[in-house]
Structure formats: structure tokens, C-alpha cells
Amino acid sequence: MRFGTHHLPLSPTPDDDLRVIGEQLEQIELADRLGFEHCWLTEHLLSGESGFGDPIPLAGAISQRTSQIRVGFAVLQMALTHPTRVFLQVNLLDNLLEGRLTLGIGRGSAFNEYEYVAFGARSDGQRERMFEAIELLERAWAGEAAPFSGEHFTVSIPDVRPRPVQRPHPPIVLSVLSDDTLSWAAARGYGVMMPRLPVARVRERLGFFRRAMEEHGLPEAAAERALDRSTLLRSIYIADSDAQAEEEVRDATFRLHDHLQRTRRGYNPADVDNRALAQQNASPVWSSPDSTPEEAVASLMSRGFILGSPETVRERIRELDEVGVRGLMITFNWGDLGHERVLRSMSRFAAEVMPAFARERVGSAAGD
């Protein structure tokens, strides 16, 4: 089992931004020292849902503060940028990180329509635009200088400069939930990132992914590499007892839910149906404006949280290991959970949980 930290820190007010960004850098530096394989950086903009907002410059800062940990995006929202810009930024970042970059890509937020509007776009049709953007990136990295002409992009990229350290490019991991996106990733041998799904649903999705790779004729070695690069999201907090762990995160989780509901009501355009969006997502109760805060928090905790003593956390991770999960993205810091509590939980996880799932540190193998 490979473990990475996942960073989506709430910044409750503009006055908190500087503190929250600094705390993220401290947490990632600690993750590097503790032996986590990845730090995964989110991209949510404008509302404080993610205190650092744009993961690209943060990844540049991390490159100068760490020596072992890989930096991944979970995810870079392709709807909010042009693939040529991604191409150039990723190439530079892979050099700054000396080959420690993983390119996690998604179409964009399912709930924050205001993020699209800020870039003069809307969410409709973004999956197809993402697929075309990835095709463009792959061609550019392969050095195919012929003009690219698609439905969404018509460009000509004459050369690959700077060249990424990882050849032909950093590994691509795709955010997935639907059959169509899983099948598209399977055909290309990409790893996949899954949200906070219940264990039974994780088993079903991984089974579908394996079958899709077989049906597309992906060689066994490439399929194994894709599974090795795949990862699942969980929020984890360790304390001396299960009851203490749940008590210490409960208020921060309620405040996070309140912040998300308020910003979506206040910022999304009037034509956005938040109820319909919630029903299409992996977390309909958490996301629905019709759920009470108590219902929403209980739903998220039961489905996507692992809270408790080290023994409890180890048991819950073994359940995931048994259904075929090979990588875990762990949100240690959510809402406005206190920084010192986060650092303690991370340290206890590394000391009291990770050794039970020990494997040789992958290092550059994650980019092979």
C-alpha cells in the first residue's frame, strides 16, 4: 500500500490565507521526512475552499523544500487552463522536482460553477474537452510537431522545451467515477483517482477498471503499472481512542460543510441546480442543500472518514487493501482542523500505521 497526503485546507477568511498556506508547506515538509510517497495538491479557486487555490506555484515552492516526496495534482482542472500552458508548466515543474511530478487531471469541479464562470466557461462539455487536451499533451510530449486540430483546440507546438526529466512525460493519473471515464483511462493505461467511495463501491469500480483494461488489450505489465499508480481518497485522523478522534474533528467538519454550502449558494450562477448536481455525485447527502448539517456530516464520516485509534485505522485500511486498493490519498487536514493536531495525527500514522503496510519506498519507480 502506498500512502500520500492530500491537501484541501479550508481558509475561513482572507485574514487566514497567509497562515493556512504556511501550514500546508510545514505539513508537506513533515510528510517528506515521514516517508509519505506523494503529496497531492487540489485546485479549488476563489472561495477559500482550498486556502492556496492554485497548485502550480505551490508545487514550485515544494520543489525547493523537499527531497523525496512526489508532488501530484488531485486534480489539475483542465477546464480552467489551456493545455499548452499545462505542457509548459509541467515540463518546468518536473525539472524543479528532479522527476518527482505526477500529473493528476480532472475536468473540473462538479459543484463550483463559479470557478468556470471566472474563466469565461461553463461546466457542460468539459469531459470531452479534457480528453482532447490530454491527447494534445501526449502528442506534444512525443515530439509530434504537426499542427493539432480538434473540436476544442487548434495549435502547433514545435518542440518540447524544457524537456521533462521523466520520459516521455510525468505519469498521468485521471480523476474518475463514471464508466466512460474509467474505460477511457483503461484504454490508455493511466492510473485513476477515486473519491471517498464506500468499500463495496471501491471493489466494484476497481473490478470494472481491470476488466476494461483487459477488454482494451492492455499488456499485463501496463495494467499492473496503472493499478500501482491508482489511488483512493480518505480522510484520516488518529487519537488515543475512536471516541476522542471523532470528537476532535466533528466541529471542524460541521464548519467545513457550512462554508461549502454558503459559498455555493452565494457564488454559483442562478441557473445552477445544486440539488441535481448533488444527486450525480459520489456524496449526494454531503453535497445536497436539502440535507441537514447532521445528516451531511454523518454521511461523509461513515463513507469517507477513518477516525480512531491506530488499531482502528489499521483495520479499516486492511479492508481497503483486501479489495485491491494499492494507493491511499489521505486528507489529514480538513476544514479548520488545528495545525498541531494535524501534525500529531500525521506523525502517529507514520509511526503506528504505515509500518503494518511496509513496502520498499518507490522513489522514481512511480514515474517509470
Side-chain angles (χ1 to χ4, degrees), residues 34-57:
L34 292 174
F36 286 90
E37 185 187 78
H38 269 87
C39 62
W40 296 96
L41 310 180
T42 56
E43 182 177 24
H44 282 297
L45 309 173
L46 304 170
S47 67
E49 179 176 344
S50 171
F52 55 80
D54 189 337
I56 295 282

Side-chain angles (χ1 to χ4, degrees), residues 8 43-45 47 49 77 79-80 107-117 122-124 126 175 177 195-196 233 257 259-291 300 303:
L8 181 61
E43 182 177 24
H44 282 297
L45 309 173
S47 67
E49 179 176 344
Q77 299 191 64
L80 308 184
R107 67 179 180 88
S109 171
F111 297 103
N112 300 352
E113 191 73 17
Y114 58 84
E115 295 184 40
Y116 299 98
V117 172
R122 296 304 296 262
S123 58
D124 291 345
Q126 291 297 341
S175 174
L177 188 59
R196 294 180 183 90
L233 182 61
H257 180 261
H259 181 92
L260 296 179
Q261 292 291 346
R262 283 189 292 105
T263 54
R264 288 164 185 168
R265 285 196 306 266
Y267 297 170
N268 274 345
D271 62 355
V272 171
D273 186 344
N274 291 314
R275 291 172 177 81
L277 286 176
Q279 291 305 313
Q280 299 168 20
N281 195 262
S283 53
V285 178
W286 167 259
S287 307
S288 174
D290 296 326
S291 301
L300 188 65
R303 177 179 42 79

Side-chain angles (χ1 to χ4, degrees), residues 91-306:
N91 291 349
L92 175 57
L93 281 174
D94 200 46
N95 278 270
L96 293 173
L97 286 159
E98 299 181 326
R100 291 186 284 131
L101 184 68
T102 298
L103 179 55
I105 295 177
R107 67 179 180 88
S109 171
F111 297 103
N112 300 352
E113 191 73 17
Y114 58 84
E115 295 184 40
Y116 299 98
V117 172
F119 286 82
R122 296 304 296 262
S123 58
D124 291 345
Q126 291 297 341
R127 185 176 65 178
E128 289 70 26
R129 182 184 183 277
M130 175 186 70
F131 290 163
E132 187 174 299
I134 295 173
E135 181 185 351
L136 191 163
L137 290 171
E138 291 273 21
R139 285 189 51 178
W141 276 313
E144 298 180 18
F148 179 94
S149 181
E151 181 181 348
H152 301 277
F153 305 104
T154 300
V155 302
S156 179
I157 301 176
D159 203 351
V160 186
R161 299 297 302 276
R163 293 188 185 274
V165 173
Q166 300 173 94
R167 302 295 178 84
H169 55 76
I172 293 173
V173 183
L174 200 62
S175 174
V176 299
L177 188 59
S178 71
D179 288 359
D180 287 347
T181 307
L182 266 171
S183 181
W184 195 88
R188 290 153 182 81
Y190 296 151
V192 297
M193 290 178 282
M194 293 177 287
R196 294 180 183 90
L197 301 174
V199 175
R201 180 67 166 157
V202 172
R203 180 190 292 110
E204 187 275 329
R205 291 288 78 191
L206 284 174
F208 181 95
F209 186 49
R210 288 176 183 273
R211 291 191 300 274
M213 287 190 287
E214 292 176 4
E215 291 167 3
H216 285 294
L218 202 69
E220 183 177 353
E224 286 298 306
R225 192 159 52 244
L227 289 165
D228 275 343
R229 289 173 175 165
S230 297
T231 188
L232 172 73
L233 182 61
R234 282 292 186 268
S235 295
I236 293 180
Y237 185 81
I238 295 181
D240 291 336
S241 69
D242 296 2
Q244 180 188 359
E246 185 169 333
E247 178 63 28
E248 290 184 355
V249 305
R250 179 171 291 277
D251 288 348
T253 310
F254 274 97
R255 288 191 292 267
L256 173 61
H257 180 261
D258 177 69
H259 181 92
L260 296 179
Q261 292 291 346
R262 283 189 292 105
T263 54
R264 288 164 185 168
R265 285 196 306 266
Y267 297 170
N268 274 345
D271 62 355
V272 171
D273 186 344
N274 291 314
R275 291 172 177 81
L277 286 176
Q279 291 305 313
Q280 299 168 20
N281 195 262
S283 53
V285 178
W286 167 259
S287 307
S288 174
D290 296 326
S291 301
T292 68
E294 290 75 17
E295 290 169 337
V297 169
S299 171
L300 188 65
M301 284 187 170
S302 67
R303 177 179 42 79
F305 280 23
I306 301 177

